């Protein structure tokens, strides 16, 4: 599984929704992701992709759409 597929799988598990059709939708504004969900997202990224992002360095505006999350994960992988 590549980074994009892994991130989409994580997001689908966390949100209970298939977000692949809404790659530029804001997950926070739509209510699919909240602060607790973002912590879970970071833990899953660390577990599945070895990406370590301290919560203190998590800038929500850089992680608010599936495309941004994939791009961020690829740059940190």
């Amino acid at each position: 599984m590549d980074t994009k597929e892994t991130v989409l799988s994580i997001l689908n598990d966390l949100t209970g929704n298939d977000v692949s059709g809404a790659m530029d939708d804001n997950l926070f504004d739509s209510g699919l992701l909240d602060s607790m969900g973002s912590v879970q997202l970071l833990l899953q990224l660390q577990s599945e992709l070895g990406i370590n992002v301290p919560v203190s360095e998590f800038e929500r505006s850089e992680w608010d759409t599936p495309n941004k999350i994939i791009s961020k994960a690829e740059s940190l992988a």
Side-chain angles (χ1 to χ4, degrees):
M1 209 184 300
D2 66 13
T3 300
K4 178 179 179 178
E5 290 173 338
T6 302
V7 168
L8 288 175
S9 173
I10 292 169
L11 288 173
N12 290 349
D13 288 347
L14 285 178
T15 66
N17 288 275
D18 178 4
V19 297
S20 63
M23 297 296 286
D24 292 310
D25 286 4
N26 187 306
L27 298 171
F28 294 99
D29 290 350
S30 64
L32 293 177
L33 208 55
D34 56 17
S35 56
M36 197 62 185
S38 51
V39 171
Q40 290 175 313
L41 171 65
L42 295 180
L43 290 172
Q44 286 294 108
L45 289 173
Q46 183 176 14
S47 168
E48 295 187 33
L49 295 172
I51 296 170
N52 189 16
V53 180
V55 175
S56 59
E57 294 178 21
F58 179 84
E59 182 60 51
R60 188 165 135 166
S61 64
E62 296 176 1
W63 297 81
D64 57 6
T65 71
N67 273 331
K68 286 183 184 178
I69 295 168
I70 291 164
S71 176
K72 208 60 171 147
E74 288 174 341
S75 74
L76 295 169

